[in-house]
Amino acid sequence: MNDKVHLLLIDDEKNYLLVLETLLTEAGYTVTALNDPETALAFLEESEVDIVITDMKMPRISGREVLERVKKNWPHIPVLIMTAFGSIESAVEAMRYGAFNYITKPFSMRELLARVKANIRRTAMLQAGAEEPAAVITAGGLSINPENYQVTKHGAPVDLTQREYELLFFLAGHPGKVYSRTDLMEQVWNYDYVGDDVRTVDVTVRRLREKIEDDPASPALILTKRGVGYYFAAQ
């Protein structure tokens, strides 16, 4: 399967880029490595790419800008953000705008491969799920339509990122069942737990509550089971 997956690497550090390109190529992926974001975005105009992996901090065009342009023009392509240790908060913020995940430099090759493989599994899972139409989920004034990925609250559209939508759809599809953060990482995004990645679950839940709850400080839809995890209110 790897030889069919095309990775686009973007990093202005040429030596670091070369190392990543070599290791990912040896792992069996098709890799295009570019150190100029503008060139990389132009490459996307003419090429089929499965995953974009971009550094967060680059001159002229940042990883955040790359992410926004990819999500606007190629929303089906997931973006993995690479960030320095001291910039984790900016990477977490990038996930609000649709990043698939982030990875902190320096990282091991095992860690990077885990994230790439997780995205491949998740994409396959979403494609398989799209083959069979699913019913609209309604609860507490909320409506989730999996046919067009639309969410409304009391009839008004709710703008969710892909990560927020996937978490909401999963929890709402299993009302009353409590899931730990690790469970959600594995079952929602089909991602093997590595390091402190479960932080992203808390961030996503907080963002979701801000968008779908009448009172985010006192949620009625996405609830917390203290010491265990999260669940969607049983209707």
Side-chain angles (χ1 to χ4, degrees), residues 105-190:
K105 293 181 176 179
F107 49 78
S108 67
M109 194 58 193
R110 172 184 172 275
E111 204 173 349
L112 179 60
L113 287 174
R115 282 164 168 77
V116 171
K117 290 176 181 177
N119 180 75
I120 295 170
R121 293 196 301 269
R122 186 184 68 149
T123 299
M125 179 179 64
L126 291 176
Q127 289 175 344
E131 294 176 0
E132 297 182 7
V136 174
I137 298 173
T138 59
L142 198 68
S143 176
I144 308 166
N145 189 337
E147 287 294 295
N148 54 19
Y149 299 96
Q150 288 188 348
V151 176
T152 60
K153 177 71 174 180
H154 301 308
V158 180
D159 185 22
L160 300 180
T161 66
Q162 181 177 346
R163 180 178 292 274
E164 290 165 352
Y165 173 83
E166 290 171 357
L167 180 59
L168 175 62
F169 182 68
F170 180 82
L171 288 174
H174 304 83
K177 186 170 182 179
V178 182
Y179 292 93
S180 70
R181 293 165 178 81
T182 302
D183 287 338
L184 292 171
M185 289 296 295
E186 294 174 349
Q187 297 194 48
V188 178
W189 300 299
N190 210 8

